[in-house]
Amino acid sequence: MNTLASAITEAVEAVRAQFTGHPVEVVPDGTGGVFVTVEDVPVGPSYAPAVTWLGFQISAAYPDADVYPHYVGPLSRTDGQSHGPAVQSTGWRGQPALQISRRSNRRDAIVDSAALKAERIRLWLADQ
Amino acid sequence: MARRPVNPPAEGWSLTIPHRLWTELSAHLFPFGGGAVLLAGHAEGARGPRLLAYDLITATNDTAYIPGEYGHRALAPSFVRDAAVRARDESAAYLAVHAHGGLDRVRFSSVDTASHERGYPALRQITGQTVGGLVFTPHAAAGDLWLADGSRTPLAETVIPGGNLLRLRPCPVTATPAGPGHDRQARLLGDVGQATLNRLRVAVVGLGGVGSILVEELARLGVGTLVLIDDDTVEATNLPRLVAAGKDDIGQLKTDLAARNAQRANPRIRLIPKATRVEHPEALNELALCDWIFLAADSASARHWVNATVQQFLIPGVQVGVKIPVDSAGCVGQIHTATRIMLPGDGCLWCNRLIDSTQLAIDMHPKAERDAARYVPGVPVPSVITLNTLAAAEALNHFVLAATGLHDDDHDHAAVIHRPRTRQRDLQDPRQDANCRWCTPAGRLGRGDSGSVVQTATL
């Protein structure tokens, strides 16, 4: 059994609510936070595949810490172009991934939750 | 103002009051007398349990602080009820406060004691928390605590971490003369000042260029216990900046090097090395038992977790840093060193925009992913021992004068910014966000063991 700060358990519940119907894997990161992976997330017709996983860490310093960066499974652009700024190939938790580096400027720790940021990241990626 | 007694740390139950709260309480109590209730969190301490005051409820004279049935004045029943309900709801200690005449000594009157015996058993039952009475003069404090477990104990000392680190007791302590080794130092600090240093437990977070200087000098000053926190090992490029480091130390833990130097400087020192990052529970638990924290690591995570400990456990500290801007063309910008006093209840590192939440997120990643998580790869920054020494000396002088009550102004806790290229030295007062989640009563200020640094829930 793992014990986590209540802010993190609340954040995880909000992620589950935000992505209702999607499998959500939550794994303790060993230092009081969690790694979260949301499965079957649609990222739009600009990418192949159009559905992938979205991963991120909610650290023990949350909500003071931002949730950054985010990771998705390897994606290719259907227009054949390369990915633009803030998207780069990397690995996450032992698997190939794209890293999405979108910091939250003027972040409010109360308002800018892990769940809302995950959805913003998904929408931003779909718009590229 | 008359010179205050300097008291070394005492064994037993203590109460810590943030400086701003003490200023407000003092204005309410002195010189005309007044009644109030302090709400306090709880934590373990190195010398005994600690009560951590985080909010003050003052009683208005004649409506809430009224003529007493038995003594001169008493808190009105409705005021007591409302304060007790808050204590119960917030799982806080309830401490009723009043003042006596005098300056350096104080004790409860027989009327006070009889009042405690009439009221506190019931109040303890209502709140389910520690309750008690405190009596103050400007330089002394006594307390009668009725603990939640049914026992009763006196308060050993009241600590006020401000520009000076005040310790109030029922009467001043006399100390035995300092040993010959510290004779010259004790001629400034006093025998009680030297005894105070010897009883303090001080942490140094980050044992690099600045931290190694701090450790060397704290040990030579005669600080009794040092907690040494750093998970890093010595590299060849560190050698010019680490005190007493040699080629044989390459690859060794910085905690081992710091411990060796401290032991050589003071063979009687007690050392608690923790070769972990500061956010590791072992390190945080040790930090929470300290009397003072030096923050000499520049990562966002070190700043966040030390800031959290300062505010939640009411432990004063000082952040020490050196900034040397050099652009890609090699042009040197305005070098500055910063020595920022971290007082519980005052504008914290978050309020002063000194922690970057994105950088904090990156710092909290596992080591293997941390570098990859940076969108722009980091590059080594310049570091020079003479600049580190400048910042460390400012921090150490502030500490030693604060611990022995030698600062002129209890209210002065401005940061010191040195700009060596122009030889300027400026003071910066910290600013505070009214609703900060760390340094205000609305946040985790003084919440101790029930705050989030150690609070857990089950997933």
Side-chain angles (χ1 to χ4, degrees):
Chain A
M1 183 172 291
N2 302 292
T3 58
L4 297 165
S6 57
I8 295 173
T9 58
E10 289 167 14
V12 168
E13 288 312 305
V15 169
R16 291 188 195 280
Q18 180 73 44
F19 293 95
T20 300
H22 296 257
V24 177
E25 181 190 47
V26 180
V27 179
D29 67 6
T31 59
V34 291
F35 297 114
V36 178
T37 308
V38 184
E39 301 289 350
D40 305 334
V41 173
V43 290
S46 301
Y47 299 99
V51 174
T52 187
W53 54 265
L54 172 66
F56 48 92
Q57 181 186 21
I58 305 175
S59 79
Y62 181 87
D64 297 285
D66 193 2
V67 177
Y68 177 98
H70 290 70
Y71 304 87
V72 292
L75 299 173
S76 301
R77 292 190 61 89
T78 50
D79 62 6
Q81 299 295 308
S82 57
H83 293 294
V87 180
Q88 57 187 341
S89 293
T90 182
W92 188 59
R93 304 191 60 223
Q95 58 186 326
L98 285 184
Q99 175 179 306
I100 303 167
S101 305
R102 299 285 294 168
R103 61 181 295 148
S104 302
N105 294 324
R106 296 181 295 281
R107 179 175 180 274
D108 182 329
I110 303 300
V111 174
D112 295 314
S113 71
L116 291 179
K117 181 149 188 182
E119 177 62 6
R120 280 207 306 273
I121 291 291
R122 188 189 72 79
L123 292 172
W124 178 85
L125 186 65
D127 284 347
Q128 299 307 297
Chain B
M1 176 180 271
R3 179 167 166 76
R4 279 182 306 256
V6 175
N7 296 311
E11 298 285 336
W13 280 74
S14 69
L15 166 68
T16 302
I17 305 178
H19 179 68
R20 282 193 177 194
L21 223 55
W22 172 245
T23 302
E24 189 183 344
L25 179 60
S26 296
H28 184 67
L29 294 180
F30 313 122
F32 303 114
V37 166
L38 284 167
L39 297 178
H42 177 273
E44 290 306 312
R47 294 172 296 274
R50 303 177 64 214
L51 295 171
L52 311 171
Y54 64 82
D55 210 357
L56 172 67
I57 312 169
T58 54
T60 308
N61 277 343
D62 299 327
T63 55
Y65 197 49
I66 56 177
E69 185 178 346
Y70 299 95
H72 176 54
R73 281 185 175 268
L75 295 170
S78 59
F79 178 87
V80 171
R81 178 200 61 212
D82 292 348
V85 166
R86 271 197 64 189
R88 182 198 64 195
D89 292 348
E90 297 174 22
S91 299
Y94 166 105
L95 303 169
V97 182
H98 72 287
H100 280 180
L103 198 60
D104 291 346
R105 295 167 188 275
V106 70
R107 64 184 178 87
F108 290 108
S109 67
S110 57
V111 173
D112 291 331
T113 304
S115 164
H116 298 176
E117 289 166 355
R118 278 194 307 274
Y120 287 144
L123 210 49
R124 177 171 59 188
Q125 195 170 17
I126 291 167
T127 63
Q129 306 295 323
T130 293
V131 302
L134 309 173
V135 60
F136 286 98
T137 70
H139 295 176
D144 178 19
L145 304 178
W146 296 63
L147 309 182
D149 67 4
S151 61
R152 180 182 180 182
T153 189
L155 185 70
E157 64 176 357
T158 297
V159 182
I160 300 148
N164 287 305
L165 182 53
L166 307 181
R167 294 179 184 278
L168 309 183
R169 294 206 200 185
C171 61
V173 171
T174 55
T176 54
H182 282 118
D183 171 69
R184 297 283 292 276
Q185 184 171 300
R187 288 171 188 266
L188 168 65
L189 310 181
D191 292 332
V192 286
Q194 188 60 52
T196 296
L197 291 180
N198 185 245
R199 301 211 67 191
L200 289 180
R201 177 188 172 107
V202 173
V204 180
V205 178
L207 300 170
V210 175
S212 74
I213 298 167
L214 296 172
V215 169
E216 174 79 13
E217 296 201 24
L218 289 166
R220 292 191 183 278
L221 281 166
V223 167
T225 303
L226 284 182
V227 176
L228 307 170
I229 299 175
D230 198 319
D231 71 334
D232 210 356
T233 53
V234 177
E235 298 177 8
T237 59
N238 300 145
L239 295 183
R241 300 186 304 281
L242 295 179
V243 172
K247 285 183 179 173
D248 290 347
D249 294 315
I250 294 172
Q252 301 299 312
L253 288 166
K254 288 182 178 175
T255 47
D256 288 348
L257 177 61
R260 185 187 74 197
N261 290 343
Q263 200 85 50
R264 188 157 53 194
N266 177 4
R268 297 175 61 187
I269 199 166
R270 292 172 292 280
L271 296 168
I272 303 171
K274 291 291 169 191
T276 72
R277 287 164 62 85
V278 69
E279 63 264 30
H280 192 284
E282 274 188 28
L284 289 174
N285 287 338
E286 293 295 343
L287 275 189
L289 295 172
C290 288
D291 298 298
W292 191 281
I293 303 171
F294 285 91
L295 170 56
D298 203 31
S299 69
S301 61
R303 289 185 180 198
H304 171 69
W305 293 103
V306 170
N307 186 72
T309 305
V310 164
Q311 301 301 333
Q312 189 169 318
F313 291 90
L314 306 187
I315 300 168
V318 59
Q319 185 246 328
V320 196
V322 179
K323 180 86 170 177
I324 309 175
V326 179
D327 69 18
S328 56
C331 293
V332 180
Q334 183 59 276
I335 299 167
H336 74 266
T337 73
T339 307
R340 295 187 180 88
I341 315 305
M342 303 169 70
L343 286 187
D346 258 43
C348 73
L349 296 184
W350 280 109
C351 292
N352 288 279
R353 312 287 188 265
L354 292 167
I355 307 173
D356 181 286
S357 67
T358 302
Q359 194 58 49
L360 176 56
I362 293 171
D363 282 351
M364 294 300 295
H365 275 259
K367 189 172 185 178
E369 291 174 4
R370 207 171 299 144
D371 284 339
R374 288 186 175 86
Y375 184 51
V376 178
V379 294
V381 296
S383 186
V384 180
I385 191 171
T386 51
L387 297 170
N388 294 344
T389 305
L390 186 63
E394 186 73 43
L396 286 158
N397 280 316
H398 176 85
F399 160 74
V400 75
L401 296 180
T404 56
L406 283 171
H407 281 297
D408 281 347
D409 184 356
D410 286 344
H411 300 271
D412 177 17
H413 59 278
V416 178
I417 310 296
H418 280 279
R419 297 182 178 84
R421 298 193 79 190
T422 54
R423 301 205 293 165
Q424 285 176 292
R425 182 181 189 277
D426 296 320
L427 300 180
Q428 288 182 351
D429 284 322
R431 57 179 291 280
Q432 184 172 39
D433 294 338
N435 297 312
C436 176
R437 299 192 311 111
W438 289 103
C439 65
T440 70
R444 290 168 186 144
L445 178 70
R447 301 309 168 106
D449 292 337
S450 64
S452 74
V453 170
V454 291
Q455 183 185 31
T456 58
T458 301
L459 180 68

